[in-house]
Amino acid sequence: MSAHISFHDVEVTYPGGLKALKGVTLDVSRGEFVVIVGLSGAGKSTLIRTVNNLVVPSRGDVRIEGASVTQAKGADLRRMRSDIGMIFQTFNLVRRSSVLRNVLAGRLGDVHPLRGLLGLFPKADVAYAHDCLRRVGIPEKAFVRADALSGGQQQRVGIARALAQKPSIMLADEPVASLDPPTSHAVLRDLKRIAREEGLTTLVNLHFIDMAREYADRIIGMRDGLIVFDGTADEATDQAFEDIYGRPIDESKDLRGDS
Amino acid sequence: MAIPDPNTVPLRPGFASRMLNWSTWVVLVGLFVVSLQQTGFDVEALTSGSQDFVRFFRRLVPDWTALPQIWRPLLETLQIAYLATLMGTLLGLPLIFLASYNTTVNTPVMWVARSILTVLRSIPDLLYAAILAPILAPGPLPGVVALTIFTMAVLAKLASETVESIDPGPLEALRAVGAGRNRVIVYGVLPQIAATMTSFVLYIFEINVRASVVIGYVGAGGVGFLLLRYLNFFDWGGVAALIVVIFAVVLLIDLLSVWARSRLI
C-alpha cells in the first residue's frame, strides 16, 4: 500500500539561519496513530507543520497521497488544508467567540467563501458542528463563550473544530502540554478513539515517554532536526528514549504519570 | 550556576548614555526659552488685557430667542460627525488590515497602505476642510469628506497597533482549516479587536463632533458656520447662546460615549 503522507528529504531553515529540519524522509500509512517524541527544539512542531504547509520547507517536499502540499498554492493549498485537522498546545480558539462558532470555523474550508464570511452556514453544517461537540462530550457548551471553559474542555473544542473539517489527517502539536495529568489522559483517549472511529491518519507531538508508549501505534524519535528512532511502542525501550533525548530519562520531566 | 561574588559592583551606565540624558534636558529647556522669546509670550500683556476680557464677557449674555435658528445647524453638525465616523470606519477597515503585518497581503502592499495612512494623517482636519470647502462648494459636504478622511487616518493608526498585538494562535488555526485571508480576518481577527475598535470609534465620534464645530468656521457647514455669522454681525447674544448649546451637547455626547465604552470588554 502506498503511503498516505510522505516526507521526501524535507529541510526547513528559518529566517535567521536556524536549521529546524535537516533532511527528513518518512512514510506514514493511512490510519496510523504516530507519536513523535523528542526534546523541545528537536523539530517536532516544525515537522508536523510542513504537512499542512504552515511551515514551508526550504528543500524537499511533503506529499499527501502523492500530491505535493509543499508546492500547492492558493485555492489548491486551502483545499488540501481543509482535509487536515490540527489541534494545538494552546488550543488556539477564538476566546471571545462562542464554542459553536469556533467549531463552525472548521467548516470554513468547505463552505462557499461568501457564506463563510457572512456566517450563513448551511443547516447541515450547523447540525454537524453540534454533532462534533457531542462526539467530544461537551454538547451542552455550544453557546458558551470559549474562554469560559476549562483547559480540557477548550482542547475538546479544538478537537471538535478539527473534526468538523471531516478530515482524513489529524495533526496534534503538544495537545496536552497545557493540561494536568488526568485531563491529559482523557483528552488523548478521546483523540485516539476518534482517530480509530474515523480512520484518521494521526501525527501527535508529545514529550512524555509513558504517554507515547501508551497511545502510539508507532513512535518516531527526533533529535536535532533528524529522525533518530522509528519503531513500535514495544521497541521504544528506556534505552531507545535515552538515545533520542541524548541524556538519562528524568522521571519528573519525561513522565506524565497515570490518570 | 555559579554563586555570585558578594563584592560585585553593579555596572554604571556608560559615560555616553549619561551625556545623552543630560543633553536631552538641555535641548528641551533650550527650545522652551527660544519659543518663549520668538512668540513674544508676555505675561504682562496677559494681565493688562484682563480689562477687555471682562468687558467682552459682560456682553456674552445668551439671547435665547436665537434658539430656533440654532437647532437646525446643530443637527447638521451632529449629522456631519455621524456620517464621517461611519464612512471613515468602513473605508478605513480594509486599510487597517492591509497596514498590519499579520493580516496584510504581502510586504509591498503593507508599505503602500502605511504610506497612504501616514500622508493622510499628516494633514490636519481643518486644512482638509479649508481646501475642500471652495472646491466642493461651502456646506456640509466638504465637512463630511474632511472628517471622513480624518476618521480613516486616526482609526487606522490606533487600530493597526491593536491588530498587530492580537493572539496569533487562532489565526494559525484558521489558516490550518483552509480559510483564506478574508475569512481569517472575520473569524480570527474581528472578534479579538471588536471591543477595542468600538471604543476607538466612539472616541473618534466625540472628536468629530467637536471638530465639525470648528470646521464649519472655514465653510464646511454646521453650527460653526452660524458661529462665524454671529461673530461677524457682533451678535453677542447669539454667540453666547450658541456656546452654551454646543457646550451642553458636546458634554452630553462625551458622557454617553464614556458610559458606552465602560460597558465594553
Side-chain angles (χ1 to χ4, degrees):
Chain A
M1 198 178 89
S2 69
H4 192 187
I5 308 170
S6 54
F7 300 80
H8 290 275
D9 196 24
V10 174
E11 281 186 20
V12 171
T13 309
Y14 284 113
L18 179 76
K19 232 175 175 189
L21 293 182
K22 299 176 178 169
V24 169
T25 298
L26 175 71
D27 281 352
V28 179
S29 305
R30 189 172 277 282
E32 253 186 325
F33 196 95
V34 179
V35 172
I36 302 163
V37 294
L39 296 174
S40 332
K44 309 188 296 279
S45 292
T46 304
L47 183 73
I48 73 165
R49 276 174 174 74
T50 62
V51 176
N52 54 8
N53 213 29
L54 285 178
V55 169
V56 185
S58 28
R59 237 192 65 192
D61 72 345
V62 181
R63 294 184 188 175
I64 293 162
E65 290 181 317
S68 172
V69 72
T70 306
Q71 245 105 76
K73 294 249 179 316
D76 286 334
L77 175 60
R78 292 201 292 274
R79 190 159 355 92
M80 292 181 89
R81 279 177 173 169
S82 77
D83 187 43
I84 305 168
M86 184 162 188
I87 61 177
F88 303 84
Q89 173 175 354
T90 48
F91 323 133
N92 289 358
L93 303 180
V94 181
R95 300 171 56 85
R96 289 166 167 281
S97 297
S98 74
V99 165
L100 184 66
R101 195 170 162 85
N102 270 286
V103 177
L104 275 171
R107 298 293 314 134
L108 282 176
D110 292 331
V111 166
H112 187 278
L114 201 59
R115 289 194 88 132
L117 273 181
L118 298 173
L120 301 171
F121 290 94
K123 274 206 174 94
D125 287 300
V126 179
Y128 192 72
H130 281 291
D131 203 39
C132 292
L133 283 171
R134 212 165 295 124
R135 300 275 298 281
V136 296
I138 47 170
E140 75 284 2
K141 300 290 185 192
F143 299 106
V144 175
R145 246 172 71 149
D147 55 7
L149 301 187
S150 70
Q153 288 170 334
Q154 288 193 36
Q155 192 58 294
R156 287 192 168 83
V157 177
I159 296 175
R161 174 174 62 192
L163 209 53
Q165 291 174 239
K166 305 182 182 173
S168 73
I169 294 171
M170 182 73 98
L171 308 173
D173 187 25
E174 298 281 2
V176 298
S178 316
L179 304 174
D180 58 61
T183 313
S184 296
H185 280 282
V187 165
L188 272 180
R189 267 197 302 273
D190 278 0
L191 187 61
K192 176 115 190 193
R193 170 178 56 78
I194 287 165
R196 270 284 123 73
E197 290 167 359
E198 302 280 317
L200 301 177
T201 306
T202 311
L203 296 184
V204 186
N205 287 340
L206 284 177
H207 59 261
F208 298 110
I209 294 168
D210 46 350
M211 292 190 114
R213 284 198 187 116
E214 190 171 340
Y215 297 100
D217 298 336
R218 177 181 174 192
I219 293 177
I220 303 284
M222 291 193 69
R223 195 167 106 196
D224 207 16
L226 290 168
I227 291 180
V228 294
F229 176 88
D230 183 353
T232 63
D234 292 334
E235 288 162 358
T237 58
D238 283 1
Q239 181 58 48
F241 271 107
E242 291 189 351
D243 288 344
I244 294 167
Y245 286 4
R247 58 164 170 76
I249 290 171
D250 177 344
E251 298 217 353
S252 66
K253 276 197 281 186
D254 302 333
L255 299 183
R256 167 106 284 195
D258 296 328
S259 47
Chain B
M1 200 186 282
I3 296 162
D5 178 356
N7 297 321
T8 311
V9 179
L11 275 176
R12 279 193 80 186
F15 178 75
S17 88
R18 269 180 290 154
M19 279 301 105
L20 196 67
N21 265 333
W22 273 109
S23 51
T24 306
W25 285 110
V26 169
V27 167
L28 286 176
V29 172
L31 283 175
F32 181 72
V33 171
V34 169
S35 305
L36 268 186
Q37 280 181 348
Q38 300 205 336
T39 55
F41 187 85
D42 184 354
V43 180
E44 217 169 299
L46 266 183
T47 46
S48 69
S50 58
Q51 290 285 327
D52 299 333
F53 239 59
V54 173
R55 230 176 304 141
F56 178 72
F57 274 106
R58 275 228 192 100
R59 277 196 231 130
L60 279 183
V61 179
D63 171 11
W64 297 116
T65 57
L67 269 184
Q69 266 182 316
I70 291 176
W71 81 266
R72 179 69 210 134
L74 181 72
L75 197 64
E76 191 176 83
T77 289
L78 294 179
Q79 287 165 338
I80 290 172
Y82 182 71
L83 274 179
T85 309
L86 208 65
M87 297 202 303
T89 303
L90 291 177
L91 292 173
L93 267 176
L95 268 177
I96 294 167
F97 296 123
L98 290 176
S100 307
Y101 80 87
N102 50 353
T103 51
T104 192
V105 178
N106 57 41
T107 317
V109 169
M110 179 178 84
W111 286 113
V112 170
R114 285 184 182 182
S115 309
I116 292 174
L117 290 172
T118 308
V119 171
L120 289 181
R121 199 168 49 245
S122 61
I123 303 170
D125 47 355
L126 193 58
L127 194 55
Y128 280 123
I131 295 168
L132 288 167
I135 300 176
L136 299 173
L141 182 64
V144 172
V145 177
L147 290 182
T148 298
I149 298 172
F150 170 76
T151 301
M152 268 172 68
V154 173
L155 183 69
K157 171 68 180 166
L158 291 174
S160 115
E161 276 163 19
T162 311
V163 170
E164 294 192 340
S165 65
I166 61 172
D167 176 8
L171 312 194
E172 188 187 28
L174 287 161
R175 282 186 199 112
V177 159
R181 177 176 164 270
N182 292 331
R183 281 166 286 171
V184 170
I185 288 173
V186 169
Y187 281 80
V189 182
L190 283 185
Q192 291 196 62
I193 63 165
T196 319
M197 278 285 288
T198 313
S199 162
F200 285 157
V201 170
L202 283 169
Y203 179 59
I204 292 175
F205 179 62
E206 272 177 62
I207 299 176
N208 278 344
V209 170
R210 278 189 291 259
S212 64
V213 173
V214 178
I215 61 171
Y217 225 82
V218 294
V223 87
F225 227 25
L226 191 63
L227 185 63
L228 187 65
R229 215 174 73 204
Y230 285 158
L231 284 171
N232 284 343
F233 287 98
F234 306 107
D235 181 354
W236 302 115
V239 169
L242 194 52
I243 290 175
V244 171
V245 170
I246 292 172
F247 172 77
V249 170
V250 170
L251 188 70
L252 189 69
I253 285 173
D254 277 16
L255 288 176
L256 278 174
S257 162
V258 168
W259 173 80
R261 278 188 284 148
S262 75
R263 312 237 6 191
L264 292 166
I265 307 167

